[in-house]
Amino acid sequence: MPNTSPPGIPGLSQENQARVITECVRQQVRERRPAELPETGWKDFDRRFDEHFPRLTLLFAEVYGHREDFLEQLTELGLQLARSWAERPDDLKALDARREHDPAWFGSRQMLGGVCYVDRYAGNLRGIREQIPYFQELGLTYLHLMPLFEAPEGNSDGGYAVSSYRRVDPRLGTMEELAELSRELRRHGISLVLDFVFNHTSNEHEWARRAAAGETEYEDYYWIFPDRTVPEQFERTTREIFPDDHPGSFTRIRATEEDPRWVWSTFYSFQWDLNYTNPAVFRAMSAEMLFLAAQGVEVLRMDAVAFIWKQLGTACESLPQAHVLLRAYNALCRIAAPSVLFKSEAIVHPDEVARYIEPGQCQLSYNPLQMALTWEAMATREPKLLAQALEERHALPPGTAWVDYVRGHDDIGWTFSDEDAARLGVDGHDHRRFLNAFYTGRHPGSFADGVPFQENPRTGDCRVCGTTASLLGLAEDPGAAVDRILLAHSVAMSTGGVPLLYLGDEVGQLNDPAWAEDPAHAGDARWVHRPPRPVRDYERRHELFSVQGRIFGGIRRMVELRRSAPEFDGNALIPFDTRNPHVLGYQRPGGNTMILCLANFSDWSQFVTGETLSGFLPQGVELHGNTELDLRHGLLIDAHGFLWIRVVPKR
Ligand code: GLC
Ligand code: GLC
């Protein structure tokens, strides 16, 4: 185990040591920083350096403090920060200043996210630019473009096997175009979100090639072993993530050649996990991160955060050092690219998801529990697990926010807590089996048209793929499906945080029937829900009575209402017991009023009694129809319907 304090200076507290060390590094940085930037240009940098570098020092020491070259490594990091600041474009420095004065900007009810693959949605970066008018029509303020970097030909895990963080896949465009696109998006009020795939690189990244060629310096960038001995020890406790690709966590460096070495590859065999016990890796990736920040990226989606630290005898997921490294990355941004936010991608147990969310770590996080339990409620017609999650697991520290989504580009995994479920009389193991059967159409009476993913006969594990429309039965029964689709989105739009749409879902895009025809995708069922942009569906989005028009119109309306109601700002949520097992209830407080959200998951109309609503003054206003309601009479909610009612609590 590494020491937890930096070397030297006996008798000084950790904080004071950090201050002394900061002072040393600051002097070095002052002397050696780029001269191109005039002295006045360093003012903000120096202020932020003084504020955040001591924290960075402590974090860095937690992981690397035992090393003799600790101070050198830290000084190099300081110099990297200065270089990045010197290169940071002026418009981004102006943005930094604006965000510093409005740090809660991303919790605003104005926020709306969209995510897409550049090639599938628009061909290339130019095509994305041409979609800006549509993004504005939809109301986007946040656009996540899936990985668009140079990657191996054929299967590249949808770009998550990055061969260079500084080169855009030439089929999509160039880095200059990306930087220009980020400015263009910003001019239209849209923040660019990109992945920071920092757990692994592709096996074609220069570091990986040099490691494969036997250069020790680069072998030390990865977890490479001469034979199976150590891998076997690790695999006793690690989880298989892509068992269809390879069992365990390691693969051979070269599949065909006589090379006995094994390399850690949590995901695909061509994605090699970086070795963060080596500070050179942290520094190298810091440079890549700050380079991306300089292209105008405003949110970095921190990919696969749970896996970045490994330790023998553990599951090698969500270890304390993973958090330390994220905080250290965060501190770097606070100094040299302060407007950049992190979004955590931890699709793990809800206790673990929460540990990544804090202003000094990841300010944003996917909300995989709410996502999964929305689907759970759709299948069971009883939102009790979802209600429990909203009550017990929704609250977040100030300065952070959820990203609420109905589905993403990945599979749906049932990441709820077995203990939570047990308290409601639900057996987690059996329930997951039911949910998998339901969504892969193996359960009698299921409306879902989904596909299993990474079914593991050894462990019984399985996840689900499909577009929102297909999983909710649009092809079979459009009437009910449209309502279900809007109901699912109503949850993501109203619980608080940034709602995130998988672009195409807002016009009811169905599964891609041809997904398996591409040999590079055939082994990965997630491609069933990543079809190309549905041109025909988009053309019909203004036809009032078409399926597409009803979904698009319904979602647009929610976006507008959300924007118009100040109660939807921020994350505060108060549970509301509807005393009807099919109806989910929660309140969004704001000033003297609240929005009461009621969502009926059953296939029949449901009633919430006047007595249940008697804590409010009798008059309520439903936002959708702008209709006045007398709550004393109770409320009848249509099958798969939802109501957003402005109410005044009785004093
Ligand atoms: C993340 C991505 C997923 C990818 C994996 C490996 O989980 O969302 O698509 O397969 O990381 O990079
Ligand atoms: C696993 C990982 C998650 C990733 C997914 C990709 O569930 O925990 O991070 O997104 O695999 O399929």
Side-chain angles (χ1 to χ4, degrees):
M1 268 308 284
N3 289 336
T4 49
S5 55
I9 334 184
L12 273 190
S13 74
Q14 283 207 2
E15 281 68 27
N16 284 334
Q17 291 194 36
R19 239 164 250 136
V20 173
I21 292 173
T22 299
E23 188 52 44
C24 290
V25 177
R26 189 207 288 118
Q27 285 196 5
Q28 293 269 340
V29 171
R30 286 240 163 113
E31 279 161 30
R32 291 161 60 192
R33 66 195 184 188
E36 301 90 81
L37 193 67
E39 217 24 57
T40 49
W42 290 103
K43 198 173 114 271
D44 288 326
F45 178 84
D46 288 342
R47 173 174 56 82
R48 293 179 183 128
F49 190 95
D50 288 346
E51 189 180 340
H52 299 287
F53 205 84
R55 183 162 56 93
L56 178 64
T57 301
L58 288 174
L59 293 164
F60 204 66
E62 267 192 65
V63 188
Y64 306 116
H66 62 295
R67 295 179 55 107
E68 288 195 345
D69 62 352
F70 170 75
L71 200 55
E72 275 161 65
Q73 297 283 352
L74 188 68
T75 306
E76 282 305 320
L77 210 50
L79 288 166
Q80 176 61 53
L81 286 171
R83 281 194 296 274
S84 299
W85 180 253
E87 284 162 16
R88 188 158 173 84
D90 286 340
D91 58 334
L92 295 178
K93 288 179 175 162
L95 179 70
D96 293 337
R98 283 206 301 285
R99 298 290 199 228
E100 224 163 32
H101 289 114
D102 182 19
W105 67 277
F106 54 87
S108 155
R109 64 191 193 270
Q110 306 299 329
M111 292 296 290
L112 178 68
V115 51
C116 66
Y117 286 89
V118 175
D119 55 343
R120 311 220 124 208
Y121 198 75
N124 51 31
L125 291 177
R126 194 163 358 100
I128 292 287
R129 207 166 158 170
E130 285 160 10
Q131 289 296 330
I132 290 178
Y134 171 69
F135 297 151
Q136 289 200 292
E137 176 191 339
L138 183 57
L140 293 192
T141 63
Y142 161 125
L143 179 66
H144 174 200
L145 298 178
M146 299 291 293
L148 39 71
F149 304 103
E150 216 173 76
E153 279 287 317
N155 189 358
S156 64
D157 190 16
Y160 279 96
V162 176
S163 301
S164 163
Y165 298 88
R166 298 193 183 225
R167 280 196 300 274
V168 169
D169 177 341
R171 284 165 300 192
L172 305 180
T174 63
M175 206 35 98
E176 292 68 43
E177 268 184 86
L178 180 70
E180 185 45 41
L181 175 66
S182 85
R183 280 191 286 273
E184 186 77 13
L185 288 168
R186 201 164 19 258
R187 272 197 287 278
H188 290 90
I190 303 172
S191 301
L192 177 64
V193 183
L194 284 192
D195 283 87
F196 186 44
V197 187
F198 69 116
N199 174 68
H200 45 265
T201 73
S202 90
N203 60 348
E204 294 183 7
H205 192 287
E206 193 198 329
W207 304 335
R209 289 181 198 263
R210 297 177 78 166
E215 286 186 44
T216 326
E217 184 186 347
Y218 291 98
E219 281 190 298
D220 290 347
Y221 272 45
Y222 300 92
W223 294 85
I224 293 177
F225 297 99
D227 55 39
R228 284 284 300 157
T229 319
V230 180
E232 260 161 36
Q233 291 169 358
F234 272 110
E235 281 173 354
R236 267 178 225 142
T237 47
T238 57
R239 182 162 73 102
E240 289 179 341
I241 305 300
F242 285 173
D244 292 357
D245 183 64
H246 62 277
S249 303
F250 292 80
T251 41
R252 293 283 292 276
I253 288 244
R254 302 172 219 254
T256 49
E257 288 167 53
E258 270 308 299
D259 185 334
R261 291 174 300 167
W262 289 75
V263 61
W264 199 305
S265 49
T266 298
F267 297 91
Y268 276 108
S269 50
F270 50 79
Q271 287 163 308
W272 293 3
D273 289 44
L274 288 164
N275 182 352
Y276 277 95
T277 63
N278 177 0
V281 167
F282 182 80
R283 284 202 291 107
M285 287 305 285
S286 298
E288 305 310 87
M289 176 183 76
L290 292 169
F291 172 82
L292 291 178
Q295 311 312 307
V297 180
E298 292 186 45
V299 179
L300 285 171
R301 173 192 181 277
M302 307 302 274
D303 184 60
V305 289
F307 300 93
I308 61 176
W309 193 265
K310 303 24 170 153
Q311 198 174 302
L312 203 58
T314 73
C316 299
E317 284 187 44
S318 294
L319 293 173
Q321 290 85 347
H323 299 284
V324 175
L325 290 171
L326 279 162
R327 291 184 187 115
Y329 275 133
N330 179 307
L332 294 174
C333 283
R334 297 286 70 72
I335 297 169
S339 53
V340 171
L341 301 179
F342 290 170
K343 174 172 73 160
S344 151
E345 191 249 348
I347 314 300
V348 289
H349 188 285
D351 289 346
E352 299 298 338
V353 173
R355 294 199 176 104
Y356 293 93
I357 312 173
E358 55 188 33
Q361 195 179 169
C362 297
Q363 300 89 346
L364 293 163
S365 167
Y366 282 106
N367 193 347
L369 183 64
Q370 179 173 305
M371 183 276 290
L373 294 180
T374 303
W375 291 99
E376 192 274 345
M378 289 286 172
T380 59
R381 280 79 163 171
E382 288 196 3
K384 61 182 176 184
L385 286 173
L386 183 53
Q388 181 194 47
L390 287 174
E391 180 161 357
E392 299 176 6
R393 296 188 179 273
H394 181 78
L396 286 181
T400 64
W402 289 115
V403 172
D404 295 311
Y405 59 121
V406 174
R407 65 102 171 184
H409 72 284
D410 279 330
D411 43 289
I412 298 171
W414 310 109
T415 56
F416 57 84
S417 138
D418 282 11
E419 294 71 32
D420 290 0
R423 280 191 284 129
L424 297 175
V426 175
D427 178 281
H429 175 264
D430 294 354
H431 202 50
R432 286 190 186 89
R433 288 191 53 166
F434 157 72
L435 291 167
N436 284 322
F438 186 93
Y439 280 109
T440 56
R442 297 174 192 164
H443 188 80
S446 163
F447 49 71
D449 182 14
V451 180
F453 181 63
Q454 304 290 340
E455 205 162 14
N456 192 337
R458 208 171 51 74
T459 58
D461 182 40
C462 175
R463 285 110 79 185
V464 168
C465 297
T467 67
T468 300
S470 285
L471 290 176
L472 292 176
L474 188 71
E476 291 268 311
D477 179 359
V482 168
D483 294 340
R484 286 195 191 101
I485 292 169
L486 294 177
L487 176 63
H489 282 97
S490 84
V491 176
M493 291 271 184
S494 63
T495 52
V498 183
L500 174 62
L501 299 167
Y502 190 93
L503 294 177
D505 273 9
E506 78 282 20
V507 288
Q509 178 165 35
L510 292 171
N511 283 348
D512 186 348
W515 71 273
E517 282 165 24
D518 181 339
H521 296 162
D524 187 333
R526 291 175 297 173
W527 290 99
V528 75
H529 59 228
R530 302 168 175 173
R533 183 172 191 276
V535 180
R536 305 269 315 135
D537 290 330
Y538 276 110
E539 280 168 5
R540 306 195 63 184
R541 72 182 183 278
H542 298 302
E543 289 173 27
L544 234 46
F545 299 105
S546 69
V547 160
Q548 294 82 355
R550 283 165 56 208
I551 298 172
F552 184 77
I555 288 180
R556 275 292 309 140
R557 183 101 182 102
M558 282 184 235
V559 173
E560 286 307 315
L561 293 175
R562 179 183 138 87
R563 287 197 169 150
S564 71
E567 295 91 336
F568 284 130
D569 269 332
N571 191 51
L573 179 148
I574 303 170
F576 181 80
D577 181 359
T578 65
R579 301 192 198 152
N580 177 326
H582 303 291
V583 182
L584 176 70
Y586 45 93
Q587 311 162 77
R588 300 295 316 280
N592 299 323
T593 55
M594 289 194 183
I595 305 291
L596 172 66
C597 301
L598 299 174
N600 175 9
F601 284 81
S602 104
D603 298 337
W604 309 96
S605 315
Q606 294 293 329
F607 194 66
V608 174
T609 66
E611 200 199 337
T612 306
L613 299 166
S614 61
F616 306 114
L617 294 181
Q619 308 79 17
V621 176
E622 207 290 321
L623 300 187
H624 277 78
N626 197 20
T627 34
E628 291 203 12
L629 304 171
D630 188 333
L631 301 179
R632 285 171 300 191
H633 303 152
L635 292 168
L636 189 65
I637 312 165
D638 292 342
H640 318 123
F642 63 94
L643 301 172
W644 291 351
I645 309 165
R646 180 167 282 126
V647 293
V648 181
K650 283 183 188 159
R651 302 254 151 220

